[in-house]
């Protein structure tokens, strides 16, 4: 078990709970998008833009974006700690793992801020 480096969370239970709740948000958003496609089978740009001009849809999209980032971070952390081990990289595993975690956190932050800019920008 890797000690003390689990992102901002304190326990495996909180990570598990966030993973499951974020999956529910992602599922609800997917169903919402399917509903939009069912109601508007031949959707065009104007209709699509009108859907996302609604502040409720923008807010739901931001919540989904945050859920995607949380879900992705927990998944990346799990993969990094499971596969970047001392057995694979000898004594440098901790440094390599931290470098991958820092890079992953940076990319997730960039995607989060970029997504918010796309949704709420002009």
């Amino acid at each position: 078990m890797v000690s003390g480096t689990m992102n901002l969370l304190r326990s495996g239970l909180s990570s598990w709970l966030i993973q499951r709740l974020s999956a529910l948000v992602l599922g609800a958003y997917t169903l919402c998008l399917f509903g939009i496609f069912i109601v508007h089978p031949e959707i065009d740009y104007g209709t699509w833009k009108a859907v996302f001009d609604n502040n409720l849809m923008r807010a739901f999209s931001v919540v989904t974006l945050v859920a995607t980032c949380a879900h992705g971070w927990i998944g990346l952390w799990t993969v990094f700690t499971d596969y970047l081990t001392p057995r694979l990289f000898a004594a440098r595993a901790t440094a390599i793992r931290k470098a991958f975690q820092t890079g992953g956190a940076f990319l997730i932050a960039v995607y989060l801020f970029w997504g918010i800019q796309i949704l709420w920008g002009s």
Side-chain angles (χ1 to χ4, degrees), residues 5 73 76-77 80-81 96-106:
T5 58
W73 172 248
L76 283 176
W77 182 88
F80 294 155
T81 56
I96 292 170
R97 184 180 326 124
K98 286 188 187 282
F100 273 95
Q101 287 175 340
T102 302
F106 177 76

Side-chain angles (χ1 to χ4, degrees), residues 23-33 60:
L24 288 174
V25 171
L26 294 170
Y29 192 77
T30 300
L31 290 175
C32 177
L33 290 179
F60 189 25

Side-chain angles (χ1 to χ4, degrees), residues 47-58:
T47 307
W48 189 250
K49 186 169 178 355
V51 167
F52 282 92
D53 279 343
N54 182 340
N55 285 338
L56 196 58
M57 188 62 181
R58 283 183 181 177

